[in-house]
């Protein structure tokens, strides 16, 4: 039967500094409307989540694609994953440089190889073979990222303090055919060791999608997320009969008590129920269901407006 499509996006959990709130709100709304546009025309959940994430990679407000944070050497190294709930196919890339849209590369890994995860120079070679244009690293670096990198290099700095402002991006969706998908992309941790790979590229941690339960995309402290395999844990709770919201809260609680990690998640069930939950101070998120757009950043904050009104307004006025 035909399902009513649903899409949810996040722009990262953490502490969103006030001067960036408007940009983050507008960015997640723009992304969710782009993804929903695909679903509305009968497009696939896979295409919708890829497009929503690509939109946020291109937005310097988020720590993914352009705007990614810098590693200890002052370079951008990015991770991304995409997963198809229909057949559990997945593609991911890690530690990639000089690619404007890692999520597109992850999709190509899924579609054009027998592998699931390509890393570093191998991912680079694959990108060249696929005709993906090379983007000079400088083009991906914003003044804000460079400034933070410098601050974190100072001897008395506490990078942990800055890590609270993380900004992985992600999307989950269920399409009119009832297929689910997830996509997640990030620049990782500021001043991370060379070659550090976090949760984002890891199946079950940064994201998971399975038509039998739903899809989840995560954000937050990567190492903590990996320890509890957060995305898969949420779907496990849903398989046990929990609602997306209950499953998300239970898993986030567990991560906090077990390993002291904070984060956020977006979830959609196979039947189109959704949740956007976080244990951090903030998480920018947006969703479209039943032609209504909902979005927020702070705990308990939820704005709602008809999708057509939002589309007519463009990204102004959020």
């Amino acid at each position: 039967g035909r399902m009513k499509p649903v899409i949810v996006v996040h722009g990262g959990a953490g502490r969103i500094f006030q001067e960036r709130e408007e940009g983050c709100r507008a960015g997640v709304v723009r992304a969710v409307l782009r993804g929903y546009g695909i679903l509305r025309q009968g497009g696939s959940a896979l295409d919708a989540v890829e497009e929503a994430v690509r939109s946020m990679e291109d937005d310097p407000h988020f720590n993914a694609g352009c705007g990614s944070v810098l590693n200890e050497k002052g370079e951008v190294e990015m991770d991304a994953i995409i997963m198809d709930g229909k057949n559990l196919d997945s593609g991911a890339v890690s530690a990639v440089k000089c690619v404007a849209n890692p999520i597109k590369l992850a999709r190509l890994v899924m579609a054009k190889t027998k592998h699931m995860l390509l890393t570093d120079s191998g991912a680079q070679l694959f990108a060249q073979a696929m005709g993906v244009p090379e983007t000079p690293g400088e083009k991906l670096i914003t003044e804000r990222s460079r400034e933070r990198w410098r601050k974190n290099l100072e001897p008395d700095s506490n990078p942990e303090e800055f890590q609270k402002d993380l900004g992985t991006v992600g999307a989950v969706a269920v399409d009119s055919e009832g297929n689910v998908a997830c996509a997640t992309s990030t620049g990782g941790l500021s001043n991370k060791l060379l070659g550090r790979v976090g949760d984002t590229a890891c199946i079950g941690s940064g994201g998971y999608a399975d038509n039998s339960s739903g899809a989840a995309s995560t954000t937050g402290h990567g190492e903590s997320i990996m320890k509890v395999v957060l995305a898969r844990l949420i779907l496990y709770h849903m398989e046990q009969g929990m609602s997306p919201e209950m499953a998300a809260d239970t898993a986030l609680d567990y991560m906090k008590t077990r390993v002291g990690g904070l984060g956020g998640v977006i979830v959609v069930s196979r039947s189109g129920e959704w949740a956007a939950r976080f244990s951090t101070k903030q998480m920018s998120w947006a969703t479209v269901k039943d032609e209504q757009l909902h979005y927020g950043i702070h705990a308990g904050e939820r704005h709602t407006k008809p999708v057509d009104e939002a589309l007519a307004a463009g990204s102004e006025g959020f």
Side-chain angles (χ1 to χ4, degrees):
R2 306 290 285 172
M3 276 219 35
K4 276 189 181 164
V6 180
I7 181 167
V8 195
V9 306
H10 71 72
R15 185 182 56 199
I16 295 162
F17 298 112
Q18 217 163 349
E19 71 274 10
R20 291 182 47 244
E21 267 191 30
E22 284 316 294
C24 286
R25 246 188 222 104
V28 289
V29 166
R30 191 180 308 121
V32 86
L33 291 175
R34 287 226 174 120
Y36 187 67
I38 289 173
L39 294 173
R40 201 184 211 178
Q41 286 155 19
S44 71
L46 213 48
D47 286 344
V49 295
E50 181 186 1
E51 177 56 30
V53 165
R54 192 196 60 75
S55 169
M56 290 183 285
E57 284 177 340
D58 291 345
D59 186 330
H61 280 94
F62 303 107
N63 174 16
C66 175
S68 288
V69 298
L70 310 185
N71 65 16
E72 57 177 354
K73 274 223 162 99
E75 300 165 333
V76 165
E77 287 186 319
M78 300 166 292
D79 305 334
I81 193 168
I82 192 165
M83 187 168 183
D84 184 350
K86 189 165 46 192
N87 50 16
L88 306 188
D89 271 354
S90 181
V93 292
S94 72
V96 293
K97 304 180 174 87
C98 306
V99 171
N101 296 111
I103 199 62
K104 283 183 150 169
L105 195 54
R107 177 81 186 261
L108 286 168
V109 170
M110 177 169 115
K112 304 286 185 194
T113 77
K114 291 191 170 71
H115 307 310
M116 279 175 62
L117 172 59
L118 290 182
T119 192
D120 201 2
S121 55
Q124 214 66 36
L125 284 171
F126 173 69
Q128 284 163 15
M130 289 291 120
V132 174
E134 198 165 303
T135 303
E138 288 68 65
K139 276 234 164 87
L140 300 172
I141 297 176
T142 59
E143 200 32 61
R144 190 174 142 259
S145 296
R146 203 181 295 277
E147 183 54 30
R148 167 191 291 190
W149 175 72
R150 275 197 215 99
K151 276 203 179 120
N152 285 341
L153 286 180
E154 290 165 11
D156 57 347
S157 86
N158 175 12
E160 289 303 303
E161 217 8 72
F162 283 95
Q163 295 315 354
K164 298 201 173 84
D165 181 27
L166 284 171
T168 299
V169 305
V172 294
V174 56
D175 60 30
S176 56
E177 304 285 315
N179 292 314
V180 299
C182 71
T184 313
S185 179
T186 191
L189 290 178
S190 191
N191 298 61
K192 62 191 177 180
L193 291 180
L194 229 56
R196 178 264 187 185
V197 177
D199 65 296
T200 300
C202 301
I203 193 169
S205 293
Y208 202 81
D210 183 346
N211 279 8
S212 68
S213 48
S217 169
T218 67
T219 167
H221 185 245
E223 280 72 12
S224 299
I225 289 170
M226 290 158 98
K227 287 174 185 175
V228 303
V229 197
L230 186 61
R232 188 65 188 85
L233 181 60
I234 291 163
L235 295 187
Y236 164 78
H237 287 315
M238 281 159 63
E239 285 157 10
Q240 305 298 306
M242 283 188 194
S243 69
E245 188 162 312
M246 183 81 184
D249 287 349
T250 303
L252 285 169
D253 269 357
Y254 175 73
M255 184 168 83
K256 195 170 169 179
T257 52
R258 188 70 178 87
V259 297
L262 301 180
V265 299
I266 50 170
V267 196
V268 67
S269 75
R270 52 185 285 194
S271 61
E273 283 182 276
W274 65 274
R277 309 293 292 169
F278 47 100
S279 52
T280 51
K281 277 215 168 62
Q282 283 122 338
M283 179 178 80
S284 53
W285 62 272
T287 184
V288 175
K289 181 179 180 174
D290 293 331
E291 299 295 313
Q292 294 291 312
L293 162 75
H294 310 276
Y295 60 96
I297 286 188
H298 301 278
E301 174 193 354
R302 179 157 157 190
H303 307 281
T304 302
K305 62 170 68 176
V307 120
D308 289 326
E309 192 183 304
L311 284 168
S315 55
E316 287 73 62
F318 293 104

